[in-house]
């Protein structure tokens, strides 16, 4: 599904799902699917897929953030906001029983991947102003959705700990990423950013097999 030039908008489907409808962008921000109910599945794929899908969903918000900042002079990098996010997820990780260091490492990678997409979108619009967005979404509202995704990510990190440290993590991650890329119809920009965002998922010894 290729997205055409339409105004950016926020759709509500259960929890708010951010859908970026930007010209020249093929990424689809499908609403995040919750993990299977307890006892429904114990496969490594089904435990890891929610984390991969959340990462892709978070990346989709980068289009909206880029549009919100476009033409305002606001920089893509926002160290104060980034540190606030990392401090919050570290606290949530401790409350949820997840490893705070692993959680912060993963969320830091999500932030960097998100910024990669934002920079790419701004370069695209600078090169072709006719493709630039003509409306500006509410950055505060977008950040509320990102905060919600961050909370779900912390829970998904804790729920997938045994899979992420297993020798088979690399292969499982490859399968989960391929499935999410196909379901969300990611374009090259967002697919490349997703691969980058997922680097910290497996234990260091398994990263090379991805």
């Amino acid at each position: 599904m290729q997205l055409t030039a339409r105004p950016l908008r926020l759709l509500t489907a259960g929890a708010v799902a951010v859908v970026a409808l930007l010209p020249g962008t093929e990424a689809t921000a499908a609403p995040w699917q919750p993990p299977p109910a307890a006892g429904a599945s114990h496969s490594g794929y089904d435990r890891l897929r929610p984390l991969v899908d959340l990462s892709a969903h978070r990346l989709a918000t980068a289009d909206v953030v880029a549009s919100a900042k476009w033409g305002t002079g606001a920089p893509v990098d926002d160290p104060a906001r980034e540190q606030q996010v990392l401090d919050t997820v570290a606290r949530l990780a401790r409350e949820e029983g997840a490893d705070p260091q692993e959680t912060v490492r993963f969320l830091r990678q999500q932030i960097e991947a998100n910024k990669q997409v934002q920079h790419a979108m701004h370069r695209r619009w600078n090169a072709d102003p006719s493709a630039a967005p003509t409306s500006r979404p509410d950055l505060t509202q977008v950040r509320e959705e990102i905060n919600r995704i961050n909370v779900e990510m912390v829970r998904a990190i804790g729920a997938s700990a045994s899979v992420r440290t297993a020798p088979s993590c690399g292969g499982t991650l490859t399968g989960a990423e391929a499935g999410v890329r196909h379901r969300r119809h990611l374009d090259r920009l967002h697919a490349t950013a997703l691969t980058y965002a997922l680097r910290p998922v497996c234990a260091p010894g398994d990263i090379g097999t991805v």
Side-chain angles (χ1 to χ4, degrees), residues 3 18-19 57 66 68 73 77-78 82-83 95 105 110 125 132 134 136 160-161 164 169 172 188:
L3 301 180
V18 177
V19 180
H57 184 31
D77 294 80
D78 187 348
E82 294 168 19
Q83 190 58 53
E95 294 175 357
R105 183 165 63 101
Q110 307 313 300
W125 298 334
T134 57
R136 183 170 295 120
S160 62
R164 292 186 293 99
C169 180
T172 304
R188 180 176 298 180

Side-chain angles (χ1 to χ4, degrees), residues 132-153:
T134 57
S135 61
R136 183 170 295 120
D138 184 346
L139 186 57
T140 300
Q141 193 172 10
V142 178
R143 284 177 169 173
E144 288 177 359
E145 171 66 0
I146 293 174
N147 290 341
R148 186 195 68 78
I149 297 171
N150 291 344
V151 172
E152 297 297 339
M153 277 185 165

Side-chain angles (χ1 to χ4, degrees), residues 11-199:
L11 299 182
T12 301
V16 176
V18 177
V19 180
L21 301 181
L22 291 172
T25 303
E26 299 171 4
T28 303
W32 180 68
Q33 299 292 325
S41 175
H42 298 286
S43 74
Y45 178 90
D46 287 329
R47 287 185 177 182
L48 208 55
R49 185 199 59 78
L51 185 59
V52 176
D53 202 45
L54 281 164
S55 183
H57 184 31
R58 196 182 194 282
L59 275 174
T61 68
D63 298 45
V64 190
V65 175
S67 183
K69 293 181 177 181
W70 176 252
T72 66
V76 168
D77 294 80
D78 187 348
R81 159 72 179 172
E82 294 168 19
Q83 190 58 53
Q84 181 184 48
V85 168
L86 296 177
D87 290 344
T88 299
V89 298
R91 174 180 57 78
L92 288 173
R94 287 188 289 269
E95 294 175 357
E96 295 287 337
D99 185 296
Q101 288 186 330
E102 287 185 4
T103 303
V104 168
R105 183 165 63 101
F106 182 76
L107 264 296
R108 182 178 287 115
Q109 194 82 354
Q110 307 313 300
I111 291 171
E112 293 303 316
N114 195 288
K115 291 192 294 184
Q116 284 183 6
V117 174
Q118 291 183 54
H119 281 299
M121 299 305 294
H122 282 186
R123 286 194 299 268
R124 181 180 298 176
W125 298 334
N126 276 317
D128 182 9
S130 67
T134 57
S135 61
R136 183 170 295 120
D138 184 346
L139 186 57
T140 300
Q141 193 172 10
V142 178
R143 284 177 169 173
E144 288 177 359
E145 171 66 0
I146 293 174
N147 290 341
R148 186 195 68 78
I149 297 171
N150 291 344
V151 172
E152 297 297 339
M153 277 185 165
V154 172
R155 293 170 180 165
I157 289 170
S160 62
S162 62
V163 180
R164 292 186 293 99
T165 56
S168 59
C169 180
T172 304
L173 179 61
T174 298
E177 181 182 354
V180 169
R181 286 172 61 178
H182 175 74
R183 188 177 71 82
R184 286 182 172 269
H185 308 287
L186 299 187
D187 64 2
R188 180 176 298 180
L189 170 61
H190 293 79
T192 300
L194 179 62
T195 297
Y196 177 82
L198 296 176
R199 284 183 183 178

